[in-house]
Amino acid sequence: MSLKHPASKHHTDAAERHHEAAKNHHAAATHHEAGDHDKAKEHAKKAREHGTAAIEHGKKGHEESHK
């Protein structure tokens, strides 16, 4: 897929970060269910980091689309 519009890259990056956040949320839930709260905490932190990055990429994509 060829991304020609500058905003497309940011939106793609946002989607990838959301996917990583979802995987980490799932891992956190799995570890929490298993009683491994330290691992759950680690994955939850990664999920928040990816989620925050996804929001920032989404904002950049939105700004680019209005230029």
Side-chain angles (χ1 to χ4, degrees):
M1 173 170 73
S2 175
L3 303 176
K4 293 182 177 147
H5 196 284
S8 299
K9 172 91 170 89
H10 292 296
H11 288 304
T12 301
D13 289 345
E16 290 171 2
R17 291 298 193 126
H18 276 296
H19 181 70
E20 287 300 314
K23 288 194 308 189
N24 277 286
H25 276 300
H26 186 268
T30 302
H31 286 297
H32 195 84
E33 281 295 310
D36 191 345
H37 298 276
D38 290 334
K39 280 281 188 194
K41 208 173 188 181
E42 288 175 29
H43 283 285
K45 181 180 178 190
K46 288 178 187 176
R48 284 190 302 275
E49 290 169 356
H50 283 295
T52 301
I55 291 167
E56 290 306 312
H57 280 293
K59 285 179 184 176
K60 289 177 186 174
H62 181 76
E63 290 167 3
E64 284 288 328
S65 68
H66 289 287
K67 286 185 177 179

